[in-house]
Amino acid sequence: MDLLKEIAREVQKETKVRLHRRNVERVLSAVLTERDFWKIIDLSDLPVPAVSGIIKQFIREGIIFTDDSENVLLTQKGYDLVSDLGISGLADYSCPSCEGRGYPFHIDKEFYRKFVELAKDRPDPVREYDQGAVTPETTVSRVLFLESRGDLEGKDVIVMGAEDDLTGLAVALRGKAKSVLVIDIDERLIEYDNRVFKELSIENAKAMVWDLRNPFEEDIIGKFDVFITDPPETFAAFRSFIGRGIATLKEEGCAGYFGLTLRDSSIFRWKEFQEILIGEYGTVITDIVQDFNHYMNWGYHDETRAAQIAPVKKPPADIWYRSAWYRIETLPGFKRWNEPISDEVFYLDEEGSTT
Ligand code: SPD
């Protein structure tokens, strides 16, 4: 019997997260590399319910155990298994200077310093909107990425529904875009941005409240060169944030940026998202930078399904939730999607658990 294949099958049945044998192998590699459960999820590149299910199954098989400090460790039987199967730990040769993104956040120290200063009083993340902000280093790197790709200077930029990251604020602060429009459902963030724009006399940027479940008015459609967003990983949110983002773009050759994570969605779900982007919306994926976006831990963790299903009670102590940074480009004949979306399954489904 192939134990790893059997575990993949069992856990898929129990969690409804699609899995294959190598996903299980990857969890063993992650356990050989890290002992903190949340770090193991990060390295496993799988949704929380899947890693949780796999580890619990290995505990039942006597291959993994948790010690008094709630570290996740291999038993002797576990070490024998990885040795027999030739499974090893994971190397990390990513660049420490740019945190592996390829764009050093400190290249313009004044911009970085100023953004950190402006972000320090930002509102706390709330569970109601699945908030969890990226680090200031991530936000600054996003702006440098756009700038390096010719998607900032002289461009009309819309930032949609992820302003807890303050990306719109950072784009405006950079002072290179022609205009910046920030929209978000959370009034606190909109007020925060508008106050900063006023204090700094930034006149080409504004922020307004909008619920992305609702279709955009005509005055937003086809008016922007670039959109930036960071959706929850349900299909409804993907369409509301990204389908609508594409609808704001002026013509072919315009760009969209967004984060997609494997902590709240599987690689199978990514394939379905990519099929929608290419087959239905008529865009092309030009870039995927894995683990570009680093999220600071959010205060409502204890209330989430992720915390409840974890094999340990210990909350995350360090950054563990990361997402890939996608860049897409519109091609001739691209489709502007702008339908209404109902409340159902907007933030959470079987693969998501951190809301
Ligand atoms: N609920 C945890 C924080 C999630 C932040 N959103 C990440 C979206 C990635 N596309």
Side-chain angles (χ1 to χ4, degrees):
M1 182 190 65
D2 182 336
L3 178 65
L4 305 199
K5 205 168 176 177
E6 185 57 24
I7 288 186
R9 203 183 59 78
E10 280 292 316
V11 176
Q12 171 166 321
K13 196 166 139 206
E14 173 194 314
T15 62
K16 311 279 182 289
V17 178
R18 288 159 286 182
L19 289 169
H20 51 67
R21 184 189 182 282
R22 286 191 188 223
N23 293 138
V24 180
E25 187 175 316
R26 173 85 180 193
V27 173
L28 287 175
S29 287
V31 174
L32 275 169
T33 315
E34 286 282 351
R35 47 181 54 189
D36 176 77
F37 173 67
W38 303 100
K39 288 282 196 186
I40 290 168
I41 294 174
D42 188 13
L43 291 183
S44 296
D45 279 342
L46 287 173
V48 180
V51 182
S52 204
I54 291 167
I55 289 180
K56 285 176 181 171
Q57 196 74 25
F58 275 133
I59 291 174
R60 283 193 282 271
E61 296 283 343
I63 285 163
I64 283 177
F65 73 107
T66 56
D67 70 7
D68 291 347
S69 308
E70 299 204 288
N71 293 311
V72 178
L73 302 161
L74 288 178
T75 60
Q76 187 54 52
K77 187 175 167 190
Y79 278 110
D80 292 345
L81 177 76
V82 294
S83 164
D84 284 353
L85 296 175
I87 296 171
S88 48
L90 298 159
D92 179 9
Y93 300 127
S94 59
C95 167
S97 172
C98 66
E99 300 183 337
R101 299 185 187 92
Y103 296 89
F105 56 87
H106 42 76
I107 199 122
D108 180 342
K109 289 197 173 46
E110 187 50 24
F111 173 50
Y112 172 52
R113 191 199 60 73
K114 203 155 185 190
F115 178 74
V116 170
E117 175 65 23
L118 285 176
K120 75 178 177 3
D121 298 322
R122 68 168 94 200
D124 287 336
V126 292
R127 187 178 180 207
E128 187 184 0
Y129 304 134
D130 184 34
Q131 288 171 349
V134 296
T135 60
E137 292 72 27
T138 303
T139 301
V140 165
S141 304
R142 286 177 175 179
V143 177
L144 299 176
F145 192 121
L146 261 75
E147 197 174 334
S148 305
R149 299 305 302 269
D151 291 328
L152 195 63
E153 185 106 40
K155 297 291 192 275
D156 294 309
V157 179
I158 182 167
V159 182
M160 312 168 40
E163 195 49 7
D164 48 334
D165 299 335
L166 300 180
T167 306
L169 186 65
V171 168
L173 181 68
R174 189 71 178 145
K176 303 207 173 184
K178 185 171 163 201
S179 73
V180 186
L181 175 63
V182 179
I183 59 165
D184 198 278
I185 195 169
D186 189 343
E187 271 177 40
R188 302 171 309 153
L189 297 165
I190 298 305
E191 278 166 21
Y192 194 82
D193 274 7
N194 281 329
R195 184 177 52 73
V196 175
F197 296 155
K198 199 165 164 199
E199 278 170 14
L200 299 184
S201 303
I202 297 176
E203 281 167 10
N204 66 341
K206 67 175 180 186
M208 68 174 205
V209 174
W210 190 261
D211 182 343
L212 280 170
R213 281 169 284 212
N214 301 323
F216 278 144
E217 311 279 353
E218 276 307 306
D219 60 340
I220 303 268
I221 303 294
K223 297 293 191 297
F224 295 88
D225 300 292
V226 178
F227 79 85
I228 307 168
T229 191
D230 197 3
E233 272 73 5
T234 61
F235 284 103
F238 180 83
R239 287 186 179 280
S240 292
F241 285 60
I242 295 169
R244 253 188 257 301
I246 294 167
T248 70
L249 298 178
K250 291 177 184 174
E251 57 184 352
E252 57 258 31
C254 290
Y257 288 86
F258 50 88
L260 284 183
T261 185
L262 292 167
R263 316 297 176 268
D264 273 322
S265 63
S266 66
I267 204 82
F268 296 91
R269 171 87 45 98
W270 274 28
K271 177 173 181 276
E272 289 157 346
F273 287 155
Q274 292 175 6
E275 281 167 351
I276 296 173
L277 289 168
I278 295 167
E280 189 180 330
Y281 294 159
T283 62
V284 61
I285 302 164
T286 61
D287 303 65
I288 304 177
V289 185
Q290 191 58 270
D291 295 333
F292 185 101
N293 299 296
H294 299 188
Y295 298 76
M296 298 178 284
N297 286 311
W298 40 92
Y300 56 84
H301 169 81
D302 286 352
E303 299 161 50
T304 62
R305 185 161 80 95
Q308 281 145 22
I309 59 177
V312 296
K313 292 282 155 263
K314 194 163 65 171
D318 197 0
I319 285 171
W320 68 278
Y321 192 103
R322 299 190 288 172
S323 76
W325 192 226
Y326 271 65
R327 180 183 182 276
I328 57 168
E329 225 173 271
T330 48
L331 291 173
F334 75 95
K335 183 181 165 200
R336 294 197 175 96
W337 187 94
N338 192 28
E339 306 298 318
I341 280 277
S342 78
D343 251 334
E344 274 171 63
V345 199
F346 195 71
Y347 290 119
L348 272 182
D349 59 15
E350 70 284 1
E351 295 193 352
S353 67
T354 67
T355 302

